[in-house]
Amino acid sequence: MKKNYFVSFLVLILILNLTFIPVYSFASNETSELNWYYARSKEKGKAPDGPKESIAFLKDCGGYFLGDTSSKVLYLTFDEGYEKGYTGDILDTLKELNVPAAFFVVKPYIDSAPDLVKRMVDEGHLVCNHSNHHPSMASITDEEKFNKEITDVEEAYKNLIGKDMPKFFRPPMGKYSKDCLKKLQALGYKTIFWSFAYKDWLVDNQPSESYSIKKIEDGAHPGGIILIHAVSKTNSKVLKTVISDLQSEGYEFKSLTDLPE
């Protein structure tokens, strides 16, 4: 009798595990905070692999880290958390070389540098959403607070420019979850990650110009979405050389509006 009771108990535990564990795991995976990364190929000029945690659902949730990998196309993007005085030089270079770019801005940047934002738009660049307060969007569980991080930036842009903000979003700090990508998609956004970035944002510890030129050019590949920070003095100095060198290698710079669906 005791043996039968023990067997029944084990069967009950097994049923409970099979019933509840997958449901719990699924719910957890939907909201778990992830950190963006890519696995760079050892072969120069080959696109990297995306993160194993999210590559299966990334496209279905409106996420991009690559563009058209069938041709030598690059998409240049800048993150603008605050103005350090180099964006004007960056815009000068882009205008001279006739290269489009996307600038991902927070609301305080729009408020503090309206003339630069207007110039970006006037010169044909995209000014896109980088949130209001630069939080991890995956950490915001309150839907109203989540939406406000997005809509506050949209409203500031529309008040300044008189048009709706382009629907591209760059996750602050590269933090995301499947749930937050779906929320952004429901708001009409494509979430733009990257297939190249490097440590360029430390304003008091800038890389050398030669290092940056080699790093960026070696990281280029067909369909590459390049992330660099506009607070970098080095980036502002090397940008013309980098763009010209990559163009001489046959690369063409396109807008995020040309991303394949």
Side-chain angles (χ1 to χ4, degrees):
M1 186 72 178
K2 288 184 178 180
K3 183 177 180 180
N4 289 339
Y5 176 80
F6 182 70
V7 170
S8 298
F9 178 75
L10 288 178
V11 170
L12 178 61
I13 291 297
L14 180 61
I15 291 172
L16 289 172
N17 283 340
L18 290 174
T19 302
F20 292 109
I21 285 182
V23 174
Y24 172 81
S25 299
F26 177 77
S28 176
N29 287 339
E30 287 274 303
T31 58
S32 295
E33 183 182 83
L34 303 172
N35 292 291
W36 180 256
Y37 69 90
Y38 55 88
R40 183 177 175 181
S41 172
K42 293 181 180 179
E43 182 181 342
K44 183 179 178 181
K46 185 178 180 181
D49 294 324
K52 59 183 180 180
E53 298 89 347
S54 60
I55 196 64
F57 63 74
L58 196 66
K59 283 187 177 181
D60 290 340
C61 295
Y64 288 78
F65 77 104
L66 294 171
D68 180 8
T69 58
S70 67
S71 58
K72 298 187 79 170
V73 174
L74 296 171
Y75 310 83
L76 187 58
T77 71
F78 296 87
D79 280 6
E80 293 273 22
Y82 61 97
E83 180 55 42
K84 189 65 178 175
Y86 307 123
T87 303
D89 292 337
I90 289 170
L91 288 169
D92 289 343
T93 296
L94 296 175
K95 185 175 183 179
E96 179 184 350
L97 300 179
N98 194 29
V99 167
F103 293 86
F104 288 90
V105 303
V106 293
K107 181 180 180 292
Y109 188 90
I110 297 175
D111 294 338
S112 63
D115 290 342
L116 284 171
V117 174
K118 287 179 181 178
R119 182 181 171 189
M120 293 170 189
V121 176
D122 289 344
E123 295 182 1
H125 305 296
L126 298 177
V127 176
C128 307
N129 207 319
H130 197 32
S131 81
N132 185 356
H133 298 101
H134 205 266
S136 163
M137 298 300 291
S139 70
I140 304 176
T141 56
D142 181 85
E143 186 172 357
E144 183 177 351
K145 184 178 178 182
F146 184 98
N147 291 345
K148 190 171 174 57
E149 279 293 331
I150 306 301
T151 57
D152 281 356
V153 188
E154 293 176 340
E155 290 171 7
Y157 177 89
K158 190 165 187 177
N159 288 338
L160 179 66
I161 303 300
K163 298 179 181 178
D164 290 335
M165 189 172 223
K167 293 285 189 171
F168 299 98
F169 183 78
R170 167 68 47 78
M173 302 168 287
K175 294 183 180 294
Y176 67 106
S177 67
K178 183 176 183 179
D179 180 65
C180 83
L181 292 184
K182 289 165 69 176
K183 288 177 181 176
L184 288 162
Q185 190 177 41
L187 292 171
Y189 277 87
K190 294 177 180 178
T191 301
I192 308 299
F193 293 99
W194 55 89
S195 60
F196 172 82
Y198 78 117
K199 196 173 181 179
D200 61 349
W201 61 87
L202 298 176
V203 296
D204 295 324
N205 186 24
Q206 282 289 285
S208 69
E209 292 179 31
S210 59
Y211 172 85
S212 293
I213 291 170
K214 179 172 173 53
K215 187 75 172 177
I216 299 171
E217 292 181 3
D218 285 352
H221 60 84
I225 297 178
I226 298 174
L227 161 61
I228 61 178
H229 288 83
V231 296
S232 167
K233 183 177 181 179
T234 300
N235 283 341
S236 68
K237 288 185 173 182
V238 306
L239 186 61
K240 183 176 180 178
T241 298
V242 167
I243 291 175
S244 298
D245 287 350
L246 290 172
Q247 287 176 329
S248 70
E249 293 180 20
Y251 282 101
E252 178 185 4
F253 289 85
K254 287 192 175 184
S255 171
L256 292 181
T257 55
D258 294 316
L259 284 172
E261 292 294 333

